[in-house]
Amino acid sequence: DTSKRLEDANQIAKQALSLGIVAKSVLHGVCFAKKVKRECPDGYEQKTLFHWYAPNGFDPFCDGNGDQYNNAEGRHTWDYMDGECQPDKSGNRLVGMFGCCAA
């Protein structure tokens, strides 16, 4: 009967919503590495996960080459993880690597 199917579907939808609300609260503050050229998924915000000053010549986000540190496939850090190298307020180079964090 259609009425019973609709009632069952409504109950399943309520359970799914309840589970989603719990899951979102459990994930609050959890971050993961942000892949380069990808947006963070819905419900996540881009944040700087870590940063450092005075990068050396091999730093992947400050035009560093670092070819001797490639993995077996010839890929680099900047092929996988998103980040940047920008001057800070005093002009020193500051490297940041980005992640997506549950809001």
Side-chain angles (χ1 to χ4, degrees), residues 1 4 19 23 25-26 29 34 39 42 45 53 56 60 62 70-74 81-82 88 99-100:
D1 137 85
K4 174 70 173 134
L19 182 60
S25 69
V26 168
K34 181 179 178 293
E39 297 298 318
D42 288 341
E45 299 174 356
Y53 283 95
N56 70 27
C62 294
N70 289 354
N71 65 21
E73 292 85 36
M81 190 168 179
D82 202 2
D88 68 3
C100 296

Side-chain angles (χ1 to χ4, degrees), residues 12-71:
I12 290 169
K14 285 180 181 177
Q15 289 172 343
L17 178 61
S18 222
L19 182 60
I21 290 169
V22 168
K24 184 173 180 179
S25 69
V26 168
L27 291 175
H28 180 75
V30 171
C31 300
F32 58 89
K34 181 179 178 293
K35 187 163 173 98
V36 70
K37 299 181 185 174
R38 300 280 175 99
E39 297 298 318
C40 290
D42 288 341
Y44 288 79
E45 299 174 356
Q46 179 176 309
K47 302 281 185 183
T48 301
L49 296 183
F50 56 96
H51 68 273
W52 63 94
Y53 283 95
N56 70 27
F58 290 103
D59 190 279
F61 300 107
C62 294
D63 299 325
N65 186 347
D67 282 336
Q68 66 185 10
Y69 299 111
N70 289 354
N71 65 21

